[in-house]
Amino acid sequence: MPPEVGSSEGVFRQEILDAIARLLVDDTLDRVRITTVLRTANVSRGTFYFYYASKEDAFAALLDQVYARMVPPFEQLFADSAARRPAVLAKSVAAWLTFGAVESGVLRTAVEEWPRHAGIREVHLAAQRRMTGAVKRALDTDRREGIAPPGIASSTLASALVWTMERAWYEAATSRQGTAVADLDAVTEALGATFVAAMYGRP
């Protein structure tokens, strides 16, 4: 057992994840050191390794928490027939993509790290599949009802939209240009418009 374990055992686990989230606002997972995490979280090395095998393992747990908060609103957006109407869908997608600094750091790190680490990949791809499924179900429903035109297979189009969203957001969010914030705002608006155009055939 870690030396701090007691009635607040779960607190130490969360402190580790919160510390990593804070550090990733301005740094990459590669550059974050375990010693910095320990100091930021105010936990011992033994406590860290009691819960997590590595910082990548801890990040996968953090990412799972973030997606548990973020993915359901995305799914609800596409499940709600009123929210996904062309007149409002673009703004709804852009609003969903407006993340805070902590979430942005975690999501940026997820895009950078999922190809390299199996645990992170599992969490990230599961979230992408859920979001793709939400778009596919919405597209199938609206095609049956004549709201969306037929075309590319719904599973293919939904996957293309979700992965385009991931890459475009990442490129804008990690821009080193002085206009990064303006670029990100423009990109989120463009992504919302892209969903509408691809699903409904109109801007």
Side-chain angles (χ1 to χ4, degrees), residues 12-24 28-29 31-45 47-49 52 54-56 58-59 62:
F12 300 112
R13 183 195 302 266
Q14 192 59 48
E15 284 294 334
I16 293 167
L17 301 187
D18 291 346
I20 293 172
R22 291 194 298 273
L23 292 167
L24 290 174
T28 66
L29 193 62
R31 290 198 298 259
V32 169
R33 296 291 174 257
I34 294 291
T35 53
T36 308
V37 174
L38 301 180
R39 185 170 60 251
T40 304
N42 194 28
V43 300
S44 70
R45 186 173 294 271
T47 295
F48 180 92
Y49 285 109
Y52 304 110
S54 65
K55 66 182 178 182
E56 290 80 14
F59 177 75
L62 170 62

Side-chain angles (χ1 to χ4, degrees), residues 138-155 157 198-199:
L139 195 52
D140 287 340
T141 296
D142 287 349
R143 282 178 173 178
R144 282 195 304 269
E145 295 180 0
I147 298 167
I152 297 169
S154 59
S155 58
L157 182 55
M199 293 175 69

